[in-house]
Amino acid sequence: MKIKKIFIAVLVAMLTLTGVVALLPQTTEVVLAKTNHQYENLELEVGQSKKLKVNGASKMLKWSSSDPSVATVNKKGKVTAVSKGLATIIGKTKGIRYTCFLTVGPIEITLDNTYAEIGIGETITLTAKTDPEFDTIKWSSSNNSVATVNNGMVKGIRDGYTIISASVGTYEAKCKVVVSGINISLPSLPLETSYLSKGEKYLISDMYVSTELFPGKTDEYVLKFYITGEKIEGSDSTSSTLTISYKIYDSYDCVTESGTIFGPSLAKGEKFRDVEEYVGNHIKAGKYRIEILDTK
């Protein structure tokens, strides 16, 4: 009896080293490998067929489909796609389950957004549509440390970007989500502002703010304005320099930064484009709004 036990132990060890142990009844579920016509995930279109094989076990397998209305499988492991949808093809032998996840398409899946920007702690909900319609859609984030997703609701975690995927079987749609620690609300445009002491007026037609981490910091930012517009009142000469004042308010409506943006010398009717100015250093993550003021 002792010799028999030793023999069995040695046999199991040898089978483990050679990879054959996967065929022993000890394993309750084995996923088909991606070699020699063996599949973990299989994609077919309606009317197509594919035969599944498991080396050394094909003749002993009993095949079944979780949804014969989507795909059928005969006793030889031949899978036939019947209608669009998802099905699991299972082959059983001596307590072992060989599983193949099947998608019958083509399935159309789209998202209402392919690009989105959110702040840290903020959320956005993506909506997926499929044809045909499916009750269950699988959501995933390529980088959960930047943003997570739960049933289409994306939440910003830290600076960076991630790809949010909505999938049905092997078909998927993607949305790139950029997460920034700074969320800035800009004034409504177009906007007029005056340089009162010079009798000048500017029409701001476009404005945006770029953000970047302050060098050597992980939670402080540098802000940079870019302003485009036209001098609509004032001298016809170019002796006067573009001058625009601003304030930055935090979520408590307190002023965190204020200053003046200077640009080129302009005559009345001249336009300016993407005049840039650093407007904030060591700005902490959070929500802010920018106000353009008349300059005295």
Side-chain angles (χ1 to χ4, degrees), residues 55-70:
N55 288 342
S58 298
K59 295 181 180 180
M60 298 181 289
L61 288 173
K62 182 179 180 180
W63 294 97
S64 64
S65 170
S66 65
D67 192 342
S69 68
V70 172

Side-chain angles (χ1 to χ4, degrees), residues 140-193:
S140 63
S141 170
S142 64
N143 193 339
N144 283 302
S145 66
V146 172
T148 59
V149 60
N150 181 18
N151 198 29
M153 179 176 287
V154 183
K155 183 177 181 180
I157 305 298
R158 69 168 178 82
D159 284 278
Y161 78 90
T162 185
I163 304 299
I164 302 299
S165 299
S167 61
V168 174
T170 55
Y171 293 84
E172 64 180 7
K174 297 181 179 182
C175 174
K176 181 177 181 179
V177 176
V178 177
V179 180
S180 173
I182 299 289
N183 189 321
I184 300 176
S185 176
L186 299 176
S188 298
L189 299 176
L191 169 68
E192 291 185 2
T193 182

